[in-house]
Amino acid sequence: MTRGIIVIAAIALGAASGAPHKVTRKTAALDFSYVWPAEAAAIPALDSRFYRDARAKLAEAQKNAAEDEALARQQKRDFNPHFYSMEWTTAGQTQRLLSLEGENGSFEGGAHPNTSYDSLLWDRVSGRSISITSLFAQPAGLSATTRSIYCRKLDSERSKRREGEKLDLPEFNQCPRYSDLAIAPVDGNKNGKFDRIDFIASPYVAGPYVEGEYEIPVPVTQKLMASLKAQYRASFEVHRQ
């Protein structure tokens, strides 16, 4: 018996329609949605990558929902329907690079929904995703040009949310490792050049769940520009106030 419908956007739509692509399914047990923007759908290799990931996440979410529903019947308790959502949005793009930010929300019957953040940087010339650190001439280039600014701005934002108090949990007072963050170049004025870098800490990374995510923007500076590899400098510009 068909309990829901599945909608899969045709890959052929691509840039011609300028529409995002998505995989969705809604049943009594699961509400699933995975969306990526038209800018990503226009790149065949990236479009296929997201399509494969969406199908894999759908299969996993269906399995988890079915198992939880069966367990609820066995334990004679109410079953709370699951949901899964993944939405990729365009943070900015240049002639060479496409920067995406991803927000993932899910609920599997626990105390509360979960939210996490991701990022992806696509190099059109090499035809693959690359790490943000690979943009720099030196491996430590990103940290050397942004770390002090990021940590200072994060501490300032945490102080506001906590009304000046410090938590007893040391891990929520420290500056997170960059490997624990979603980091994405952003084109704030939509002129085809990145002028800031967003550092997004998911709940539990920079603070407890109740504080939510911490999204800290760091402006592109002359120092950062100078530390980039020559082939990527044209994709950035110094942030103007």
Side-chain angles (χ1 to χ4, degrees):
M1 179 176 67
T2 302
R3 299 182 60 192
I5 57 173
I6 183 166
V7 179
I8 300 176
I11 291 176
L13 290 177
S17 67
H21 285 181
K22 60 184 178 180
V23 173
T24 63
R25 184 173 179 85
K26 187 173 178 61
T27 70
L30 174 67
D31 188 354
F32 179 94
S33 175
Y34 192 116
V35 183
W36 57 101
E39 292 85 354
I43 302 171
L46 186 53
D47 193 40
S48 297
R49 170 175 170 163
F50 282 141
Y51 177 73
R52 289 192 303 271
D53 189 47
R55 291 296 297 268
K57 293 298 192 301
L58 173 58
E60 181 181 5
Q62 287 175 317
K63 177 177 178 292
N64 292 341
E67 289 177 350
D68 190 29
E69 188 174 27
L71 184 61
R73 286 196 301 268
Q74 179 184 335
Q75 296 175 341
K76 297 181 180 180
R77 61 172 170 82
D78 290 337
F79 168 71
N80 294 314
H82 291 201
F83 78 78
Y84 179 98
S85 68
M86 183 69 194
E87 183 176 7
W88 290 97
T89 56
T90 300
Q93 63 175 331
T94 70
Q95 287 189 344
R96 177 161 188 162
L97 300 172
L98 172 64
S99 177
L100 302 175
E101 293 178 342
E103 180 174 352
N104 175 223
S106 64
F107 177 73
E108 296 185 346
H112 55 70
N114 294 307
T115 305
S116 62
Y117 295 84
D118 203 350
S119 58
L120 187 148
L121 188 60
W122 188 267
D123 187 336
R124 293 187 175 93
V125 174
S126 63
R128 61 184 179 87
S129 61
I130 60 173
S131 67
I132 190 168
T133 55
S134 69
L135 300 176
F136 293 82
Q138 301 297 327
L142 175 65
S143 180
T145 56
T146 63
R147 185 72 177 171
S148 61
I149 302 172
Y150 166 70
C151 294
R152 185 172 66 251
K153 293 183 73 173
L154 172 63
D155 280 342
S156 176
E157 180 60 26
R158 286 196 291 207
S159 181
K160 289 178 186 177
R161 297 189 193 184
R162 298 170 186 173
E163 298 181 341
E165 295 184 5
K166 277 207 168 187
L167 301 183
D168 291 333
L169 299 171
E171 64 270 26
F172 292 150
N173 296 317
Q174 297 171 354
C175 195
R177 296 174 299 181
Y178 276 4
S179 59
D180 292 333
L181 307 177
I183 305 175
V186 178
D187 178 7
N189 58 13
K190 310 299 182 186
N191 70 344
K193 291 180 181 291
F194 302 124
D195 56 9
R196 76 171 193 263
I197 299 176
D198 277 359
F199 296 77
I200 309 174
S202 300
Y204 294 121
V205 172
Y209 178 83
V210 294
E211 290 182 357
E213 77 279 3
Y214 280 92
E215 181 172 351
I216 305 296
V218 173
V220 172
T221 62
Q222 289 284 6
K223 183 179 178 182
L224 187 147
M225 289 284 292
S227 69
L228 292 167
K229 291 177 181 176
Q231 63 266 37
Y232 293 120
R233 284 184 195 143
S235 292
F236 289 78
E237 65 179 358
V238 174
H239 183 268
R240 307 293 181 187
Q241 296 291 341

